[in-house]
Amino acid sequence: MDSFLEFLQQSTEKPIDVLSIINTGTNYVAINLSEANSYLSTVDVSSSEKFSQYIESYLKTNNANVAYGGYLEKRNIYKRSFHFNQLDIKKERNIHLGLDLWCSIGTKVLAALDGEVHSFKNNKNYGDYGPTIILKHQIRGEVFYTLYGHLSLESISALQIGKTFEQGDFLGTLGDAKINGDYPPHLHFQIIKDMQGFMGDYPGVCSQTDLEFYKANCPNPNLLLKL
């Protein structure tokens, strides 16, 4: 196993919370938003309202508060935005690099681990993150980053680079479709080994041609969340 993956796996024995919604063992449910989910072809995912109705219905049907998943899912939902598409189909970005947690607007987001604000930004492209916070972590000699996307504007309005957070501290809240890139409310949580000079942003979706690099640089967030 890659040494960084082994480090992440061993960095904490208990599951890490990134939302204020306590995981009871039954109120978090996995969701499949990949191209393999044929039912999604009947949902107008270009409409945040219709997409939200689908998520809300899924949560209600499963008697859950949070629907989670998406790491390395190949998704068709990004076809709605030119932000992810290229003329060369081989460069189309449709493979998701983080883990999404779909829940209600205003849900509190928590710092995954002790760290400091590396950068933050409102990424305004259609289909993008909206307000985003990136934390830098230094643990037992390892330096890495966690990204929190689709937040509210209030989450970054008084933030400063270098501000420190302890694990579990309140980081921000989830934004609505008007500010979060036009999605149902959710947290995009991603681990990044090398920021490559990005500030307040980092690719959360990649193309098939770049997949091997991003798999290595953005390991499965569930190594920390243990959902």
Side-chain angles (χ1 to χ4, degrees):
M1 179 184 288
D2 177 275
S3 60
F4 183 58
L5 295 183
E6 190 172 4
F7 160 76
L8 289 174
Q9 242 180 4
Q10 297 175 353
S11 62
T12 177
E13 294 181 1
K14 296 180 179 180
I16 286 175
D17 294 317
V18 289
L19 295 178
S20 59
I21 300 172
I22 301 301
N23 184 357
T24 65
T26 59
N27 64 334
Y28 277 57
V29 62
I31 189 170
N32 176 9
L33 296 177
S34 75
E35 61 182 10
N37 182 351
S38 58
Y39 185 79
L40 275 181
S41 64
T42 69
V43 179
D44 181 9
V45 294
S46 66
S47 163
S48 57
E49 182 179 357
K50 297 291 178 60
F51 196 2
S52 292
Q53 289 171 1
Y54 172 75
I55 297 293
E56 290 166 7
S57 175
Y58 187 86
L59 289 170
K60 185 175 181 180
T61 299
N62 288 277
N63 194 29
N65 301 115
V66 180
Y68 69 89
Y71 181 65
L72 299 189
E73 269 188 354
K74 193 172 185 179
R75 294 173 167 178
N76 287 328
I77 61 176
Y78 303 117
K79 292 183 182 296
R80 66 185 187 140
S81 172
F82 289 116
H83 180 59
F84 299 103
N85 292 298
Q86 304 286 336
L87 294 176
D88 183 350
I89 194 169
K90 293 181 179 179
K91 295 182 179 179
E92 179 185 358
R93 295 195 295 134
N94 57 8
I95 301 174
H96 190 249
L97 298 171
L99 190 144
D100 285 335
L101 298 108
W102 307 84
C103 50
S104 56
I105 295 170
T107 297
K108 292 181 180 179
V109 176
L110 312 178
L113 298 162
D114 295 356
E116 65 179 42
V117 176
H118 166 270
S119 53
F120 58 93
K121 181 182 175 184
N122 186 7
N123 296 286
K124 297 181 179 180
N125 289 307
Y126 177 58
D128 209 333
Y129 291 128
T132 308
I133 297 174
I134 297 172
L135 297 185
K136 179 181 179 180
H137 310 282
Q138 299 186 61
I139 300 175
R140 298 201 300 272
E142 290 279 359
V143 177
F144 63 100
Y145 307 83
T146 52
L147 182 150
Y148 309 78
H150 308 294
L151 306 179
S152 64
L153 274 177
E154 291 76 14
S155 302
I156 63 172
S157 61
L159 202 58
Q160 293 182 335
I161 290 175
K163 181 177 179 179
T164 59
F165 289 88
E166 293 184 359
Q167 182 179 0
D169 279 354
F170 170 69
L171 192 62
T173 57
L174 296 185
D176 61 19
K178 293 179 181 178
I179 189 65
N180 77 355
D182 198 52
Y183 291 101
H186 72 289
L187 174 67
H188 173 101
F189 177 68
Q190 186 169 334
I191 300 171
I192 305 164
K193 187 174 181 180
D194 179 2
M195 281 297 297
Q196 299 182 277
F198 281 88
M199 297 292 290
D201 188 17
Y202 191 82
V205 182
C206 77
S207 66
Q208 184 66 48
T209 55
D210 295 328
L211 179 58
E212 290 308 309
F213 168 78
Y214 283 109
K215 277 174 65 176
N217 201 45
C218 301
N220 191 342
N222 213 27
L223 290 169
L224 295 180
L225 303 188
K226 297 177 172 61
L227 293 170

